[in-house]
Amino acid sequence: MRPLPDLLGRLGIGAKLGLLLAAFAILATGLTGYYSYSQSRNLLVNAAERELLTATQVLGRRLVVALAGVADDVRLLAQAPATRRVVQGDRNGGARDDLAETFSALLRVHPEYFQVRLIGAAHHGREVVRVDRDDGRLVRLDGPLLQEKGYYPYVFHTLELTPGQVYLSPIVINHEQGAHAGLNKPSLQVATPVAGADGQVWGVAVVNIDVNGLFDLLKADLPEDFWLYLTNERGDFLMHPEADLTFGFDRGRRVLVQDTYPAVQDLLDHKAKTVVTRGEQSVGPVPADAVAAFMRLPIGVPSEGRFVILGLSQPIQTVLAESRLLGQTTWQLVLAFSLLAVAVAALVSRAVLRPLNMLVAAAQRFSREHVMGELPLARRDEFGTLARSFGEMQTQIGAHLAELYESRSRLDHLARHDPLTGLPNRRFFTDRLEHAVATARRKGGTLAVLFIDLDCFKEINDSLGHGVGDEVLRETARLLCASVRETDTVARLGGEEFVILFDTVADPRDVALVAEKLLQRFQLPLQVADRSLVVQASMGISRYPEDGADAASLLHSADIAMYRAKHQGRNTYRFHDTPAWPAGEVPVAAPPAVE
């Protein structure tokens, strides 16, 4: 085999120039594609970082608001006259019973509360009234089951506060014996002094919060791939997707956030309030690179300077999922222009030496100064085409992308709409109905589906032709759209079948009124192809949740109701469950009249 320098030496100058230009064009196109793809990935990561930081700040504000709500509850309990009377030694058992019922009502309203207590300042902080959550039920402890709590920090620290101030304990594992549902669970105590009429502090009101339950409520709206972190002032994990990594200090070991995300050290040292960084998610057997955002969140009395670190992370692979299609398109364009460059180089190799030297000089200047030199643009041969192609490359890329996006939009519209009437088709309507059912199920709402089938439509097609039938369908579509609200969805399922979705129904009679109005309008002639046609319809109505729990069953129920209307004379409507109140019968329709 001959060495490569010998092979190149045997080639003419035209072939050498052709090879040089081909390699240069492929390299430039590849670098441009790589740069575009890299920039798109960076933009996606930057957008994800901003989204994570915003979500972390919103979650932090929610936590502050939630803790403020707990503080308000504790203050309300402390200021209640019954609380003051009981803590001052009122021996009336009914007053304690009433206060215990108040505690129980608070626990029922707030599932994230473990325990509500009234603790007296006397007798070593003995509990006076106490209600716990235990295995899904509320338990009131009384008599010898009441414990002395004066040696717990949340008691003696709270007794040192002035009335109206609130004490927040550190978040720790609750090891208090007899804590029922809160035992060995992450807990936070919120307490405030209870003062008598003379201003003297007689005890404390305490709410024990289920930290996991509180954060389950706060993060309910977060995407599933967002991971939540919470640490104390030292960086110990209090909340982590991997439960074994939380509260390590309670088991004699330290698991710190700064070991995984070193940039968080700036938050712990008060050098920053928020941090966006990269790290590694280690939940599961396969570690994954992640982007994360953290913020320092002050809690408790401001003078104490206590805080927690709140953070969210998301896998980089999830962030970059949208860039895969763009990458495929970019490299396809790179390959296409690379092939074009090879073809042009083959033509250049057969051209004359003078324009070849001009192109070499222009390429050398572009390599040195990034400025295109003089090119033989006026030539009408391959050299001129190649020279002009460099200027047109950017325009062609933009045009190809615009054409790609436009074609995608057209295909998406055709896939979701009926080409004859322009209405949503069965697929689009089914998606809309499934979404409406999910929303109604989540909010406890109701909705209705009105199924419409034109009576005797086949006779119109047979007697007047399919062109007239198509125009009848278009006029029917316009009539239906003009008869309902903008928020309602009108669709064509196929043939002469139409359907309307009412995603907000306060009263079934409202749907009946719409059906009555449609029946009245169908009695009026339609002006079609210089003819007046009376086109009437049979309708069926189904309601959620009475007639179906999902989109398919609701549509099927409405279809059954429509066939019932047809069998009972046509030109009328029926509910699927045939309600007892009058349905508004309309006389049986005659065959369509032609004027």
Side-chain angles (χ1 to χ4, degrees):
M1 181 179 293
R2 293 178 180 272
L4 181 61
D6 291 347
L7 292 177
L8 292 177
R10 297 174 62 87
L11 296 176
I13 189 172
K16 293 178 181 179
L17 181 60
L19 292 175
L20 176 64
L21 289 178
F24 176 78
I26 292 173
L27 178 62
T29 306
L31 289 176
T32 301
Y34 177 76
Y35 176 78
S36 301
Y37 179 63
S38 299
Q39 287 298 105
S40 68
R41 289 169 61 92
N42 291 335
L43 290 175
L44 285 173
V45 173
N46 292 337
E49 291 176 347
R50 291 192 298 271
E51 180 183 357
L52 275 174
L53 181 57
T54 301
T56 303
Q57 292 170 336
V58 170
L59 191 62
R61 286 194 291 271
R62 287 184 179 179
L63 178 58
V64 170
V65 171
L67 292 178
V70 180
D72 290 340
D73 288 343
V74 173
R75 289 193 189 97
L76 183 62
L77 291 176
Q79 295 170 6
T83 304
R84 294 179 175 180
R85 290 197 305 271
V86 171
V87 79
Q88 285 179 307
D90 190 340
R91 299 181 180 277
N92 183 3
R96 294 193 179 195
D97 293 341
D98 292 342
L99 191 57
E101 182 56 34
T102 301
F103 289 1
S104 298
L106 191 62
L107 286 170
R108 283 191 288 268
V109 172
H110 294 281
E112 70 276 16
Y113 291 179
F114 274 144
Q115 186 182 67
V116 182
R117 291 174 290 170
L118 176 61
I119 300 175
H123 305 293
H124 305 288
R126 184 176 176 80
E127 297 168 332
V128 180
V129 179
R130 171 176 169 181
V131 180
D132 291 2
R133 192 183 302 279
D134 185 19
D135 292 333
R137 59 191 181 93
L138 301 182
V139 178
R140 177 188 175 185
L141 278 68
D142 203 357
L145 296 178
L146 298 176
Q147 303 174 2
E148 295 177 354
K149 300 292 183 179
Y151 53 89
Y152 282 101
Y154 65 84
V155 176
F156 60 76
H157 281 317
T158 305
L159 289 174
E160 296 172 355
L161 302 178
T162 59
Q165 288 186 312
V166 175
Y167 173 82
L168 269 71
S169 73
I171 299 175
V172 296
I173 299 296
N174 189 348
H175 293 300
E176 293 187 45
Q177 294 300 318
H180 291 98
L183 184 62
N184 297 324
K185 299 288 184 61
S187 300
L188 169 67
Q189 283 84 21
V190 181
T192 190
V194 179
D198 55 358
Q200 179 182 351
V201 175
W202 289 84
V204 296
V206 184
V207 171
N208 190 7
I209 300 174
D210 175 11
V211 175
N212 289 335
L214 176 62
F215 275 88
D216 286 342
L217 294 176
L218 295 178
K219 68 180 182 179
D221 297 330
L222 290 178
E224 293 182 357
D225 58 348
F226 277 31
W227 291 0
L228 176 66
Y229 306 95
L230 183 71
T231 79
N232 57 21
E233 296 97 333
R234 299 177 298 277
D236 297 287
F237 280 113
L238 306 178
M239 186 165 293
H240 191 284
E242 186 68 38
D244 291 342
L245 301 181
T246 61
F247 295 95
F249 57 87
D250 195 65
R251 300 186 294 272
R253 65 191 182 100
R254 304 292 298 279
V255 183
L256 304 176
V257 64
Q258 56 267 38
D259 293 340
T260 304
Y261 298 98
V264 179
Q265 187 65 49
D266 289 344
L267 299 180
L268 300 174
D269 296 339
H270 294 268
K271 295 180 180 179
K273 294 182 178 179
T274 61
V275 164
V276 179
T277 183
R278 305 279 179 87
E280 185 177 88
Q281 291 181 339
S282 57
V283 173
V286 181
D289 292 335
V291 57
F294 294 88
M295 68 177 294
R296 187 176 68 251
L297 192 66
I299 62 171
V301 179
S303 61
E304 297 178 353
R306 292 169 50 211
F307 63 89
V308 294
I309 303 298
L310 184 66
L312 292 172
S313 71
Q314 186 180 29
I316 290 291
Q317 286 299 109
T318 302
V319 175
L320 298 179
E322 299 179 3
S323 67
R324 295 172 184 167
L325 180 60
L326 177 62
Q328 294 175 358
T329 304
T330 300
W331 292 117
Q332 287 173 358
L333 290 174
V334 169
L335 178 61
F337 281 105
S338 298
L339 294 176
L340 176 63
V342 172
V344 172
L347 296 175
V348 171
S349 66
R350 291 177 290 176
V352 295
L353 185 60
R354 180 178 175 276
L356 183 61
N357 290 333
M358 292 179 62
L359 288 173
V360 171
Q364 291 175 343
R365 184 180 179 186
F366 183 80
S367 176
R368 294 191 308 269
E369 306 173 9
H370 300 290
V371 176
M372 186 62 68
E374 181 182 0
L375 291 172
L377 297 175
R379 294 180 63 95
R380 299 299 177 186
D381 57 10
E382 295 80 4
F383 290 100
T385 301
L386 179 60
R388 291 186 292 273
S389 296
F390 279 100
E392 296 172 356
M393 184 176 295
Q394 183 177 3
T395 303
Q396 291 177 359
I397 292 176
H400 286 314
L401 288 176
E403 182 180 354
L404 178 64
Y405 294 148
E406 182 180 356
S407 299
R408 184 183 300 168
S409 299
R410 286 199 304 267
L411 290 174
D412 183 66
H413 185 273
L414 289 175
R416 298 170 65 85
H417 289 79
D418 173 38
L420 178 63
T421 63
L423 295 177
N425 60 13
R426 179 184 291 271
R427 175 186 174 187
F428 191 1
F429 178 80
T430 302
D431 291 344
R432 185 72 61 86
L433 180 56
E434 289 175 348
H435 178 73
V437 169
T439 301
R441 183 183 298 115
R442 184 174 63 254
K443 297 182 177 180
T446 60
L447 58 86
V449 175
L450 178 61
F451 198 106
I452 303 165
D453 186 271
L454 300 183
D455 295 334
C456 304
F457 181 75
K458 183 176 184 301
E459 286 78 353
I460 294 177
N461 274 337
D462 293 343
S463 60
L464 301 178
H466 289 278
V468 174
D470 290 346
E471 188 60 32
V472 167
L473 294 176
R474 283 190 285 267
E475 289 296 325
T476 301
R478 284 191 283 269
L479 183 150
L480 295 177
C481 291
S483 302
V484 298
R485 302 169 300 184
E486 292 185 0
T487 58
D488 300 329
T489 302
V490 181
R492 181 189 176 205
L493 300 184
E496 65 272 21
E497 295 179 343
F498 297 84
V499 66
I500 303 175
L501 167 62
F502 303 94
D503 59 1
T504 302
V505 178
D507 190 327
R509 292 180 175 81
D510 296 340
V511 183
L513 291 176
V514 175
E516 292 280 2
K517 181 171 69 173
L518 288 175
L519 288 176
Q520 293 173 6
R521 292 196 176 186
F522 274 119
Q523 310 313 308
L524 301 176
L526 296 178
Q527 300 301 319
V528 177
D530 298 328
R531 293 181 175 88
S532 293
L533 297 179
V534 176
V535 180
Q536 297 172 335
S538 298
M539 308 178 194
I541 303 171
S542 64
R543 294 172 295 162
Y544 174 86
E546 292 89 343
D547 302 326
D550 52 40
S553 59
L554 283 173
L555 198 58
H556 180 65
S557 297
D559 190 15
I560 292 175
M562 181 274 295
Y563 275 105
R564 186 184 301 161
K566 279 194 176 294
H567 289 310
Q568 294 179 4
R570 300 185 180 181
N571 192 23
T572 185
Y573 69 91
R574 287 290 182 270
F575 279 81
H576 179 262
D577 59 357
T578 313
W581 45 274
E585 294 285 350
V586 177
V588 176
V594 180
E595 297 182 5

